[in-house]
Amino acid sequence: MPDVASDATSLERRVDALRRAIEKHNYDYYILDQPTATDAEYDALLRELREIEAAHPELVSPESPTQRVGIAPQGKFNQIRHPLPMLSLSNVYNRADLDAWAARLARNLPGARFTFVSEPKIDGLAVALTYVDGVMQRGATRGDGLTGEDVTANLRTIRNLPLRLMSENETTIPRLIEVRGEVFMRQADFEKLNEQILADGGRPFMNPRNAAAGSLRQLDPTITARRPLRLLAYGIGYAEGGAPIAFHTEALDALRQFGFQTSLDAAVDDSIDGVWSRCEWWLNRRASLGFEIDGVVIKVNDLRQQEELGFVSREPRWATAFKFPATQQTTRVNDIVVNVGRTGALTPLAMLEAVNIGGVIVSRATLHNEDEIRRKDIRIGDIVVVQRAGDVIPQVVQVLLERRTGDEREFEMPANCPACGSPTHRAEGEAARYCTNSACPAQLKRHVHHFVSRAAMDIEGLGEKLADRFVDLGMIRDLGDIYSLDWRAIAELEGLGEISAHNLRVAVEASKQRPLERLIFGLGIPFVGERSSRLLADRFHSLDNLIASDVETIDSVPGIGPVQAQGVFDFLHTPENLAVIEKLRSAGVRTVDDDAGDGPASGPLAGKSVVVTGRLAEMTRSEAEAALRRSGANVAGSVSRNTAVVFAGEDPGSKAERARELGVPVLGEQELKDVLGGAPLPNGKDQST
Ligand code: IVH
């Protein structure tokens, strides 16, 4: 029956076309990171393939993309003996080690010239994948290098692992090939997975490596299928048939053509100087790669040389790993103490048995807040994993529960401030607990540290220790006291003397002339950093202008958000803060901008609150506002009962209307120019009342 036969072949052809299209889309998506199909298109292809396979079970084959999750959960993994042992690598930790490795190469192959390939050393777990006639048959973990576990079913669920090798030319596909690579998890995927595990009440993984290993060693492949695993191929174990390969770089090219993700940044150098700069290059990029690497693998490129160099014990002579410093270590929590910050927030700190993490001695780690301690179940006496990545503050990643002895003590946040004894309070919906005493010496100390710091008033010689001493002695009770210190008493303090006291006094005097933005920053207004301080100084030119402004006006400064604006307003309307500002001012600390001056203390506009609205013909609104400020006016963003006058240009809109409602005089551009020129305010509010 010729009709049926041709139907069958056309169906087979359709199935083949669908599988290839799906594989191509997988490749574009997972390997090239450049999707070429929409999710809907991809789903339609997969659906059609599933439907055909369901109706024609004889067409199903293991390498079909529908068969990634194939078999039922297993009781255990079978052991697989590796036909070719999976070796480990020798390590080098610095340039001298690397030079010594290269010198050994030269001794072993006298007169040879070498080129080297440097690749990132992905921190995951090694696997070996066997393909027969281009179809994946088997996959195993490294195990002890000689025998691994058969994790074929789990490996098949990894989306960027080709179940069938791709090729532009079928003749290049070897009859048999063992591909070696690393199964790993990207940082972002790892974090998402942990969040999900936490939300489900589970125990999160310690790092991406553990997450990858734990996911690959699931007995139920449907669980592995839901884990965001990836594969990166870094070499060929052995091969029969296919195009001949003479260099490691050719092996990487072939793997790429077969549809594997390989390290695109593998680089070739013919000198150790070149190799060393690659190592430094990777070390510098370590934190920004999006996945964890623990070093750089350096391989001799020429496979014949590799063969000649051979092995010592279980390590090849032809490769080595430049190992990066570790970012995690285990150590003991000796105590948990509580620190009181500038805002009064209580921060628990783990006091650790000192450990060296990547060359830095770590003896404390932040625990953030009480919820965090509870979530991670950190107790005094616990053995914990501590992480220090780049410049971030060391963190406790996890408690090693299996190391508990039963002598550990649970920690409670104190009901009273450890610095001043006042009650602490944790508001609903807030993670932090606060000291309720605004005069708390711990808060004051942090305020002083901040105020005198380099980015703020930059008082050289007034370090944290000395500042704390002044606070403890009662010489500094608020920031204003810094400018009325008793220098004679200071000169008599232990360890100071006349000269130190004199130098400190000079530094304190000099700080009175710091620009306004530094003063605003130094005041320690919640949420106001250096950048916001500059924006506020640029806009208001004096502390008085800022104090006189309403929330809307502060909020209207580009770059200042509503929360900040409210914070600034509240801070500048708290009597204690205003008292401090008054003290600073009377001590001679500059509270006005360089070019602004305090504005004339007299004149028609001095101290008046004014609003500019609408389009002006001869100047921009901000020019007008700047000129008004220079004349001593406080320029506000909205009209209120306190507004003395509104200057309106074209299309003034609602502000002018509001002014009329409130009986606030509205003047035009000509009057604005007259007033700026020194003319009295016509119809000014003061005159009308
Ligand atoms: S080559 C004979 N290349 O590092 C050398 N290994 O200790 C075989 N690894 O177990 C290894 N990235 O899991 C090689 N680009 C890379 C690698 C890499 C990570 C792992 C691999 C191996 C371990 C060596």
Side-chain angles (χ1 to χ4, degrees), residues 87-89 119-122 126 142 182 234 297 299 316 318:
L87 304 168
S88 53
L89 288 171
E119 310 168 7
K121 186 169 185 301
I122 314 287
R142 176 174 182 277
E182 197 85 352
Y234 56 66
V297 183
K299 303 173 183 174
W318 49 264

Side-chain angles (χ1 to χ4, degrees), residues 634-656:
N634 297 325
V635 181
S638 61
V639 180
S640 73
R641 271 176 216 290
N642 297 327
T643 309
V645 60
V646 172
F647 293 105
E650 297 274 323
D651 304 326
S654 64
K655 284 181 193 170

